[in-house]
Amino acid sequence: MKRLLISGLAALLAACAVGPNYKRPEIKAPAAFRSQPAQPDAKSLADLAWWELYRDPVLEKLIKTALQQNYDVKIALARVEEFRAAAGIAGFGSIPQVSAGASGSRSRISTVGPTPLPSSAKPVRTTYNAEVDISYEIDLWGRIASVQAAARADLLASEFARDTIRVAV
């Protein structure tokens, strides 16, 4: 029985053995790629906005004015900010919540009545109370992660809607 226990323990420890440390192989990257532009600062045709192709200052001014003063674009920008704030608030579910409170009270007991206070008792009583609460929700079922993922998806959807409105304008 003792041999069986020792051999079982040895097999268990051998199963936990870790191999040698991993070393990343060296990869020689080429200095330049075939599709890489010659000048990194030069704008390609795909990087230009469609109205920049015409090189018309009047058209560019009209488009700039339309994008700055259009109410649909302003509403879309406000929605993006709203969903960005909601995504930030959704992230608070994964951190501990801390709350604190304090209170004080002062009371006086009447010295007149059927049962008078003993002379050693003080008729005025002051009470102070302080409390600190710390809570943390363990995300066993993925509720907090799902709320955060939904908030990020709403943010992305509002950004895409903003871009769609800008293109439509």
Side-chain angles (χ1 to χ4, degrees), residues 92-109:
F92 287 140
S94 62
I95 61 174
Q97 305 294 318
V98 179
S99 64
S103 64
S105 66
R106 187 174 179 122
S107 61
R108 180 178 179 93
I109 300 173

Side-chain angles (χ1 to χ4, degrees), residues 45-63:
L45 185 63
D47 292 333
L48 295 174
W50 66 266
W51 59 85
E52 292 177 354
L53 295 174
Y54 296 109
R55 295 186 180 146
D56 184 8
V58 176
L59 177 65
E60 289 181 16
K61 183 179 176 187
L62 288 173
I63 291 174

Side-chain angles (χ1 to χ4, degrees), residues 37-79:
Q39 299 174 353
D41 295 337
K43 279 190 168 182
S44 71
L45 185 63
D47 292 333
L48 295 174
W50 66 266
W51 59 85
E52 292 177 354
L53 295 174
Y54 296 109
R55 295 186 180 146
D56 184 8
V58 176
L59 177 65
E60 289 181 16
K61 183 179 176 187
L62 288 173
I63 291 174
K64 184 177 179 182
T65 303
L67 290 176
Q68 288 176 347
Q69 297 181 0
N70 188 287
Y71 288 117
D72 291 336
V73 174
K74 288 181 182 181
I75 291 170
L77 288 172
R79 284 189 181 143

Side-chain angles (χ1 to χ4, degrees), residues 107-119:
S107 61
R108 180 178 179 93
I109 300 173
S110 175
T111 55
V112 179
T115 54
L117 284 175
S119 61

Side-chain angles (χ1 to χ4, degrees), residues 1-13:
M1 181 68 179
K2 195 174 189 179
R3 282 187 183 174
L4 184 63
L5 182 63
I6 291 174
S7 62
L9 184 60
L12 182 66
L13 289 175

